[in-house]
């Protein structure tokens, strides 16, 4: 597909949309900047004095660093306020309200459906298949539903939240091929750092209808900085940028993210990821032998999805021990399940102790 056809997935009325022309975006040269109604003086609290100016809409140094981290060109990457903003942006820019559908694979991260609802885009749900030892995406059904339901966007969550399963790159490629020039396949890799398989960014050179979501919120421990990335065809990124807010990346957040991606920070992050994987295996094994536990799904994320004989009893026992986990019982197929984030070794010990104590008391 060439650039023209990937852009044809964007709403007709936005094809030539120029967006807001900010003071920052005009290429002018001078040393007295009186074009953006900023204050000539710094706020007393702003010791470094940089905050009186509007920030770079896409801070170049951060964009380059993120592109290097995720294995793409800077032009293929859009920085947003968390990957949540990128999800919203994609739905708004691609889906004509009441016409173009969004495909999701429940039980799954809720923001895809929320953004579809806000845009009034029809939601087509293709349930995960419970294979007993894994909750997997039903790829044939995803393709059929997307083709039959006039989908513009297909969200594939890999590793899947909360199921923990991944989708093989060959399967993602199969979806992209089947939906070529029909829909954009968005692979949400919010937990990609914890997974064993390579990123779907490795498919971008062959399939321009694939997009990848990454974030600094989970493995990089910077949820409050709100730095997410959308990686996609450069022409699509350029168009989405025009649909985004004029200054989406606050300067203090960009600075924190850059510092968090310095080699020393990355080295620590790498150690934490290894620790989480080891704890994930330990907690999975520890939970699996508890009498009240029906099933612990294998996970490629930093969490475990656990079915209990009585999820309410387990939830209450954990809460009584001061441990708050995610109740999944309202989600389809998960009426007996909790999602437990992998914590520090001490925190994971408390999870196990609370559930064992509960058994002893019962
Ligand atoms: C946490 C999460 C996100 C949101 O990440 P932000 O970058 O913090 O907005 C996106 N997708 C999934 C599957 C998540 O679990």
């Amino acid at each position: 597909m060439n650039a023209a056809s990937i852009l044809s997935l964007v709403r007709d009325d936005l094809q030539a949309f120029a967006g807001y022309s900010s003071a920052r975006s005009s290429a002018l040269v001078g040393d007295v900047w009186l074009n953006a109604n900023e204050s000539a003086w710094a706020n007393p609290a702003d010791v470094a004095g940089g905050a009186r100016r509007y920030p770079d809409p896409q801070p170049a140094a951060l964009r380059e660093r993120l592109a290097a981290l995720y294995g793409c060109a800077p032009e293929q990457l859009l920085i947003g306020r968390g990957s949540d903003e990128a999800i919203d942006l994609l739905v708004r820019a691609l889906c004509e309200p009441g016409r173009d559908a969004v495909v999701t694979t429940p039980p799954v991260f809720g923001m895809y459906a929320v953004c579809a609802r806000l845009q009034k885009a029809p939601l087509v749900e293709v349930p995960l298949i419970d294979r007993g030892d894994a909750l997997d995406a039903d790829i044939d059904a995803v393709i059929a539903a997307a083709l039959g339901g006039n989908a513009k966007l297909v969200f594939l969550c890999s590793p899947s939240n909360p199921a923990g399963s991944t989708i093989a790159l060959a399967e993602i490629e199969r979806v992209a091929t089947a939906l070529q020039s029909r829909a954009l396949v968005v692979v949400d890799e919010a937990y990609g750092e914890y997974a064993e398989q390579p990123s779907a960014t490795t498919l971008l050179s062959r399939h321009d209808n694939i997009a990848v979501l990454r974030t600094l919120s989970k493995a990089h421990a910077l949820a409050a900085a709100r730095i997410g990335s959308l990686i996609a065809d450069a022409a699509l990124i350029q168009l989405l940028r025009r649909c985004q807010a004029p200054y989406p990346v606050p300067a203090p957040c960009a600075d924190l993210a850059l510092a968090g991606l310095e080699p020393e920070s990355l080295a620590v992050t790498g150690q934490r990821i290894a620790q989480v994987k080891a704890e994930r295996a330990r907690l999975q094994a520890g939970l699996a032998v508890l009498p009240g536990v029906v099933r612990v799904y294998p996970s490629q994320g930093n969490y475990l999805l656990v079915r209990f004989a009585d999820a309410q009893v387990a939830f209450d026992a954990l809460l009584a021990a001061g441990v708050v986990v995610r109740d999944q019982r309202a989600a389809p197929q998960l009426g007996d399940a909790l999602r437990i984030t992998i914590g520090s070794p001490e925190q994971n010990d408390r999870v196990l102790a609370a559930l064992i104590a509960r058994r002893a008391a019962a």
Side-chain angles (χ1 to χ4, degrees):
M1 230 184 342
N2 55 32
S5 57
I6 187 70
L7 289 184
S8 73
L9 296 179
V10 173
R11 274 166 43 193
D12 290 342
D13 56 314
L14 292 181
Q15 295 280 337
F17 183 51
Y20 174 72
S21 174
S22 73
R24 270 303 218 136
S25 54
S26 32
L28 302 169
V29 182
D31 60 349
V32 180
W33 289 93
L34 302 176
N35 67 335
N37 297 349
E38 297 148 333
S39 169
W41 303 274
N43 184 291
D46 176 23
V47 178
R52 71 189 179 90
R53 296 286 191 201
Y54 281 101
D56 184 342
Q58 292 286 295
L62 179 58
R63 202 182 188 196
E64 277 166 30
R65 195 52 81 77
L66 289 167
L69 182 68
Y70 299 138
C72 66
E75 303 74 43
Q76 293 176 297
L77 186 142
L78 184 80
I79 309 172
R81 287 159 290 187
S83 36
D84 284 345
E85 186 189 16
I87 294 166
D88 183 56
L89 202 53
L90 284 167
V91 175
R92 281 192 293 142
L94 269 64
C95 294
E96 184 74 42
R99 192 189 74 188
D100 301 327
V102 171
V103 175
T104 65
T105 58
V108 76
F109 185 58
M111 281 306 291
Y112 318 134
V114 166
C115 294
R117 174 86 189 270
L118 285 168
Q119 181 69 4
K120 207 181 171 197
L123 183 66
V124 177
E125 299 187 307
V126 181
L128 297 181
I129 306 174
D130 196 346
R131 303 193 194 279
D133 58 348
L135 274 163
D136 287 336
D138 184 343
I139 295 301
D140 289 326
V142 164
I143 292 170
L147 290 173
N150 194 40
K152 271 285 183 64
L153 280 168
V154 175
F155 284 99
L156 298 177
C157 195
S158 177
S160 185
N161 174 11
S165 56
T166 51
I167 303 170
L169 292 191
E171 294 289 272
I172 292 168
E173 212 168 356
R174 199 153 70 79
V175 181
T177 302
L179 302 182
Q180 188 169 9
S181 69
R182 310 274 301 250
L184 186 70
V185 180
V186 185
V187 187
D188 188 342
E189 297 182 351
Y191 303 95
E193 290 87 350
Y194 301 108
E196 299 307 326
Q197 74 176 32
S199 169
T201 53
T202 54
L203 303 175
L204 281 173
S205 60
R206 292 202 298 282
H207 301 274
D208 62 2
N209 65 328
I210 290 180
V212 178
L213 295 168
R214 303 294 304 248
T215 180
L216 297 186
S217 295
K218 308 286 167 46
H220 289 273
L222 289 174
R226 309 304 302 128
I227 300 290
S229 296
L230 170 69
I231 300 154
D233 179 89
L236 181 63
I237 292 294
Q238 214 170 38
L239 193 142
L240 291 173
R241 172 65 203 121
R242 301 202 294 269
C243 302
Q244 195 183 23
Y247 309 103
V249 185
C253 296
D255 292 344
L256 181 58
L258 260 182
L261 297 176
E262 285 296 319
E264 314 83 72
S265 306
L266 283 179
V268 174
T269 296
Q271 290 162 13
R272 295 298 186 216
I273 292 167
Q275 190 175 18
V276 165
K277 288 186 190 173
E279 281 295 298
R280 181 175 69 195
R282 184 176 76 90
L283 190 60
Q284 181 179 2
L287 288 168
V289 297
L290 294 184
V293 170
V294 173
R295 171 159 296 131
V296 187
Y297 287 97
S299 172
Q300 293 281 293
N302 66 335
Y303 47 84
L304 290 169
L305 182 67
V306 188
R307 292 193 191 276
F308 290 90
D310 190 330
Q312 185 68 52
V313 164
F315 188 84
D316 291 344
L318 287 163
L319 204 53
V323 179
V324 185
V325 301
R326 186 67 173 248
D327 189 348
Q328 293 289 344
R329 286 176 294 167
Q333 305 189 61
L334 299 183
D336 58 355
L338 306 177
R339 188 196 68 196
I340 305 175
T341 302
I342 308 299
S344 67
E346 298 72 31
Q347 292 171 340
N348 302 330
D349 284 342
R350 272 181 63 179
V351 168
L352 291 170
L355 293 171
I356 291 164
R358 158 66 220 168
R359 289 295 308 168

